[in-house]
Amino acid sequence: MQHWSMYWQTSGVLNSFAEGDANQGYTGAIQKFWDQSFDSIPQGAIIVDAGCGNGALALLAYDFGRANQKDFVIEGLDAAEINPVKQFEKQPAVAKKLKTIKFHSATPIAAAPYTAESVDAVISQFAFEYAEQGPALAKVSEILKPGGKLITMSHHASSKLVKDSKVGVEVLTAILEESPLFQQADLIIDLAMQAIPQLGDEGWAKYSHNRILSQSTKWMMDSLLQRFDKPEQQTYVKDAIARVARVLQAMNGSNLEQARKQLTYDYHVLADHKKRLDEQLQSAYAKKDITGLKKAATKVGLKLEAEPFEIEGEVFGWTITAEKQ
């Protein structure tokens, strides 16, 4: 869970798309689905965003409630360590809204701190599927009022998003576990620590061992770019190469320790990204998983329905609604 905690503690990260192009909340078809869902929830309802991250979905509920005089009472919980208000302290307008929402850090869905039949709706965007399904469904059923609903948008095993994650895992595995790129960069820094105090920065630039290692590193980068030449692969490989290149280009005799720390940091950023992608692949629902989910929900008194959700004709996820009987 540490890899998620580190992710949510990145300033300005609102949702789990932040490593792509949509890191400022949910818009378009996703927002339309949630607005329709919020419209079905009664005025004054207590809403819990399960797996809330830094509050993207909770903020959607807040905005809809304010715009439509719904007066929702909104809370959020996440198994990771979160502090949404702190992460958005440099964005006062967002922080002001987040302060109206009570967040529960390091709190899995199965440990939701609510009394029986006290919650009107549990909502979740790309989060509920990560939880252990049996205990999570049991807890949701316990805390929902009769007629209350669990509403989620969850990962679909056939979605473009999940397919892209498979590509990401493949590329990052090659870079971090098969290629010696990061080890080679660390070797260059280690050699620089020994050589620069004697040669100086100018001497280091001409040093034959540095030239050989630098050429070898460039060859590794070029090989990775050639191996992963498809557009969907290039996003991942270019990011990793750019991280290593920035460290080596900025390195000089006055910042060698900082260069090593930055290289280590970048390695762990990529390794944590890979872990999150791996978990997404493991948690995405296939059709057979939905069948099992319906049976598990029935056992705890929930009537569950699920439909594929499409954006521009492509499967994006599952929309799931489970009503407490």
Side-chain angles (χ1 to χ4, degrees):
M1 192 52 65
Q2 183 63 22
H3 49 291
W4 280 109
S5 297
M6 291 297 294
Y7 177 80
W8 294 124
Q9 289 165 25
T10 302
S11 179
V13 167
L14 192 55
N15 65 41
S16 58
F17 297 155
E19 280 148 327
D21 298 324
N23 64 345
Q24 293 302 311
Y26 301 117
T27 59
I30 299 174
Q31 181 177 358
K32 183 178 180 180
F33 164 78
W34 281 113
D35 283 350
Q36 291 171 345
S37 299
F38 296 144
D39 193 47
S40 71
I41 298 173
Q43 183 180 23
I46 297 174
I47 299 176
V48 176
D49 180 3
C52 61
N54 277 340
L57 183 55
L59 285 176
L60 269 190
Y62 170 90
D63 287 339
F64 185 90
R66 289 292 298 270
N68 295 276
Q69 293 78 49
K70 285 280 194 172
D71 299 320
F72 292 146
V73 177
I74 305 165
E75 298 195 13
L77 56 85
D78 202 291
E81 294 179 9
I82 58 170
N83 189 344
V85 175
K86 181 179 179 181
Q87 303 315 316
F88 283 87
E89 57 190 3
K90 294 182 180 179
Q91 298 183 43
V94 177
K96 183 179 179 181
K97 293 179 182 180
L98 290 170
K99 287 178 181 178
T100 70
I101 301 165
K102 184 176 181 179
F103 290 101
H104 302 271
S105 177
T107 306
I109 298 172
Y114 306 101
T115 57
E117 300 187 353
S118 62
V119 173
D120 293 280
V122 176
I123 60 175
S124 185
Q125 174 78 39
F126 291 159
F128 187 84
E129 60 269 38
Y130 288 82
E132 188 177 350
Q133 301 296 273
L137 285 168
K139 174 57 73 171
V140 167
S141 181
E142 175 189 325
I143 65 176
L144 281 177
K145 298 175 182 177
K149 295 179 180 179
L150 165 68
I151 307 172
T152 88
M153 184 176 290
S154 297
H155 285 298
H156 194 299
S158 299
S159 72
K160 184 178 182 300
L161 190 62
V162 169
K163 291 176 182 176
D164 180 68
S165 294
K166 290 180 181 177
V167 172
V169 169
E170 178 191 9
V171 175
L172 291 174
T173 298
I175 293 171
L176 300 175
E177 301 175 17
E178 299 169 10
S179 167
L181 177 61
F182 274 85
Q183 292 89 332
Q184 180 93 336
D186 188 65
L187 182 61
I188 292 175
I189 296 171
D190 188 60
L191 182 62
M193 287 179 167
Q194 300 175 50
I196 290 180
Q198 300 177 47
L199 303 175
D201 286 329
E202 290 187 12
W204 166 251
K206 300 175 183 178
Y207 187 39
S208 61
H209 290 304
N210 174 33
R211 287 175 176 269
I212 292 170
L213 286 174
S214 296
Q215 289 172 359
S216 176
T217 302
K218 185 178 184 305
W219 177 84
M220 289 179 191
M221 291 177 173
D222 290 342
S223 295
L224 286 167
L225 286 168
Q226 291 172 11
R227 177 180 172 185
F228 300 109
D229 60 351
K230 296 178 181 178
E232 62 269 25
Q233 297 171 325
Q234 289 275 299
T235 300
Y236 294 97
V237 73
K238 285 183 177 180
D239 175 55
I241 287 174
R243 290 175 182 274
V244 174
R246 280 196 299 267
V247 171
L248 296 179
Q249 288 168 2
M251 184 186 72
N252 58 55
S254 66
N255 66 3
L256 293 173
E257 281 294 343
Q258 181 58 37
R260 171 161 279 168
K261 289 179 181 178
Q262 184 63 45
L263 185 68
T264 300
Y265 171 80
D266 284 326
Y267 178 89
H268 286 296
V269 166
L270 296 176
D272 284 351
H273 191 185
K274 178 180 173 294
K275 287 180 183 177
R276 295 196 303 275
L277 294 177
D278 270 325
E279 290 181 359
Q280 182 196 100
L281 297 181
Q282 293 167 17
S283 64
Y285 293 136
K287 190 172 182 180
K288 63 180 178 60
D289 299 312
I290 295 296
T291 300
L293 194 65
K294 288 182 178 181
K295 292 178 179 178
T298 300
K299 289 180 180 179
V300 294
L302 297 172
K303 183 180 180 182
L304 188 146
E305 300 293 338
E307 295 290 340
F309 181 80
E310 294 186 355
I311 295 180
E312 296 181 352
E314 291 191 354
V315 174
F316 181 76
W318 292 99
T319 56
I320 298 171
T321 302
E323 184 173 340
K324 184 170 180 178
Q325 301 302 292

